Amino acid sequence: MKYNSVFDIIGPVMVGPSSSHTAGAARIGLAARNLFGKEPKWAKIHLYESFAKTYKGHGTDFALAGGLLGFATDDPRMSKALDIAKERGIEIEYIEDSASSDHPNTARLVIGNDDESLELVGISIGGGKVEITELNGFALRLSGNHPAILIMHSDRFGAIASVTRILAKHEINIGHMEVNRKDIGKEALMVIEVDQNVEDSILVELKNAEHIISIAKIVS
Amino acid sequence: MFRTVAELVELADNEQISISEVMIRQEIDIKEKTREEVLEEMENNLQIMEKAIEDGLKGVRSTTGLTGGDAVLIQKYMKKKTPLSGPVMMDAVSKAMGTNEVNAAMGIICATPTAGSAGCVPGALFAVKDQLNATREEMIRFLFTAGAFGMVVANNAFISGAAGGCQAEVGSAGAMASAAIVEMAGGTPQQSAEAFAMTLKNMLGLVCDPVAGLVEVPCVKRNALGSSQAIVSADMALAGVVSRIPCDEVIGAMYRIGRQMPSSLRETGEGGLADTPTGRLLKEKIFGMSI
């Protein structure tokens, strides 16, 4: 069943006017921030199709910025997010991209600081629900419904087992898992949706497992 | 877990409990939360709805200037004259509009089931509660009943205009409100289902054609009329009127109609009212000639 909680129907509490253009956009921004692991210094945001055409009228621009600032969908500071981002010294550029996309509400966020950057594609599928469809060039399918951990690792035997062993030890149940790699033996990505939020101490343990490069978590 | 309205009504009847109680128990079970936690979360949503109505009745205006102020006009009218459709009806209309005007003005609302259709359920709730002498707990239960029906629609059809047209948004929202009014007024679970079916039947085929692609015109007024239909259908069901087509079949019809709808009539802002001379002119005014 796609919807199993009454609060998927009565909710979310959010800044208007559109659950897909505002709440969804904020959640995409927040996912990017969480995956980057810290506040970015700059962001280049490509908007496609409906997002590109109506983002100003719908406040999609400030909602994306609000997410990058770490705001939840109902944060009253949301409509001031562009000003707040400026105050915090974050440079955000919006690009109305004319390229077509698989979904009408698509945003590609490239965010970073002086040392590193991250590229993420998110789609807003309605009612405030979002999916992350691409991360650093890896195609993936990540619903925002469950907490998730994303692990960049080397494509070596034992890498996946070492991660699942640690999760099993801490009695963390895996709801959905995807493994993706750029090429044999190269960089790879594990996407693991779990039933409960993963403690930071477990993340440290995972980070120290064999062949792991970097790790990020998304709190649902 | 219930998948259909028939199953939902059966669960309530077998256990001799209300629809809202079925929903509350399921939520406790699925989210592994306590009853207090679940009720508290819904109370929070109720407060958001109440605040949005208050703000809307004070008067808000969207940044585009397309919408705002109509909820105030209706409240003023009600003070001067007795509305032809009755005070409860017009109160619901003004409160549904107020909520959606707040939404269009980028205020804080509770999506019910979506942001574009956030007015119907609270509009109807806050209009009928006084006449029905509803307690706070009954108001919270109103939202669980509405949510139970909305969940069936979301899982068997759709609730977003982009997926199924406005019949999926305001249609579902108005129908959810109908079902919840019936329970609050002391009707049976089956009567809730009849009211839901009658409202949704009347919204079948409703297209999503927002002017300039924005959640303003015609959304605000559609929410107003969605809440008014909710009250009429609830009265019909309480009077004993039944839907000849069962509730689940109406939802199925809504789904198939939405699938047959061209994309120009599903929230793209390319057809219907958006594609009228005035609709196109407003779009140009807001976004300039570049679009």
Side-chain angles (χ1 to χ4, degrees), chain B residues 5-136:
Chain B
V5 170
E7 286 172 15
L8 177 62
V9 171
E10 198 184 328
L11 272 172
D13 286 347
N14 285 349
E15 305 265 329
Q16 293 285 302
I17 54 175
S18 59
I19 299 268
S20 56
E21 184 60 26
V22 174
M23 188 71 255
I24 292 168
R25 288 183 189 178
Q26 181 173 303
E27 189 70 23
I28 291 169
D29 196 33
I30 282 174
K31 287 290 165 94
E32 294 178 349
K33 286 183 177 169
T34 65
R35 174 175 288 266
E36 288 69 33
E37 284 168 335
V38 170
L39 293 180
E40 197 183 306
E41 192 169 347
M42 197 59 95
E43 163 66 33
N44 180 47
N45 287 353
L46 181 64
Q47 284 175 20
I48 296 293
M49 293 176 187
E50 200 164 18
K51 174 75 171 48
I53 289 173
E54 274 175 27
D55 292 347
L57 295 187
K58 278 184 210 151
V60 289
R61 196 153 275 284
S62 67
T63 47
T64 62
L66 278 180
T67 52
D70 286 343
V72 177
L73 278 184
I74 292 169
Q75 286 286 330
K76 278 187 189 160
Y77 166 73
M78 286 168 63
K79 281 187 186 122
K80 276 191 236 153
K81 296 190 173 175
T82 305
L84 296 169
S85 53
V88 171
M89 186 74 82
M90 280 316 268
D91 197 32
V93 162
S94 71
K95 286 170 178 169
M97 284 184 111
T99 302
N100 275 81
E101 286 175 341
V102 167
N103 180 57
M106 298 176 187
I108 291 182
I109 52 95
C110 179
T112 319
T114 65
S117 63
C120 296
V121 169
L125 166 58
F126 282 90
V128 302
K129 73 171 176 70
D130 290 332
Q131 187 166 335
L132 296 174
N133 293 319
T135 61
R136 195 75 182 173

Side-chain angles (χ1 to χ4, degrees), chain A residues 1-7 9-21 53-54 56-59 62 74 76, chain B residues 1-3 27 30-31 38 41 45 48 103 106-113 115 143 151 154-155 176 213-215:
Chain A
M1 302 264 264
K2 285 179 288 181
Y3 298 81
N4 61 20
S5 167
V6 70
F7 298 107
I9 309 296
I10 311 292
V13 173
M14 55 168 280
V15 174
S18 163
S19 26
S20 51
H21 289 76
K53 286 183 186 168
T54 69
K56 279 182 188 154
H58 277 128
F62 67 63
D74 62 342
Chain B
M1 255 185 94
F2 56 88
R3 286 180 161 272
E27 189 70 23
I30 282 174
K31 287 290 165 94
V38 170
E41 192 169 347
N45 287 353
I48 296 293
N103 180 57
M106 298 176 187
I108 291 182
I109 52 95
C110 179
T112 319
L143 299 178
M151 195 182 289
N155 283 323
M176 285 157 58
L214 302 172
V215 192

Side-chain angles (χ1 to χ4, degrees), chain A residues 57-179:
Chain A
H58 277 128
T60 308
D61 48 357
F62 67 63
L64 282 159
L68 288 176
L69 288 165
F71 297 171
T73 55
D74 62 342
D75 195 305
R77 294 170 295 175
M78 190 70 80
S79 60
K80 302 272 176 286
L82 291 173
D83 295 334
I84 297 169
K86 206 174 274 175
E87 280 165 26
R88 291 198 197 167
I90 307 170
E91 275 182 44
I92 306 178
E93 185 187 347
Y94 294 92
I95 300 139
E96 293 168 32
D97 208 310
S98 57
S100 66
S101 60
D102 291 337
H103 192 279
N105 293 327
T106 301
R108 177 181 295 272
L109 281 66
V110 189
I111 65 172
N113 56 22
D114 297 340
D115 307 317
E116 52 191 328
S117 69
L118 170 145
E119 184 169 345
L120 167 150
V121 176
I123 59 173
S124 180
I125 62 169
K129 282 184 178 278
V130 300
E131 286 178 6
I132 306 304
T133 57
E134 201 183 305
L135 178 66
N136 291 339
F138 286 103
L140 56 105
R141 201 170 174 80
L142 186 63
S143 77
N145 293 349
H146 302 281
I149 37 181
L150 287 95
I151 302 170
M152 300 289 297
H153 62 102
S154 305
D155 181 37
R156 301 272 191 286
F157 66 85
I160 295 166
S162 65
V163 166
T164 54
R165 202 178 302 123
I166 292 167
L167 291 175
K169 189 178 79 185
H170 292 284
E171 297 185 350
I172 290 167
N173 190 35
I174 295 173
H176 180 83
M177 181 163 175
E178 270 183 26
V179 183

Side-chain angles (χ1 to χ4, degrees), chain B residues 212-248:
Chain B
L214 302 172
V215 192
E216 299 205 45
V217 176
C219 320
V220 173
K221 293 185 183 95
R222 278 201 185 137
N223 271 267
L225 289 154
S227 69
S228 71
Q229 286 190 43
I231 297 174
V232 177
S233 298
D235 263 335
M236 285 161 71
L238 289 163
V241 176
V242 298
S243 170
R244 292 290 172 216
I245 309 295
C247 195
D248 289 307

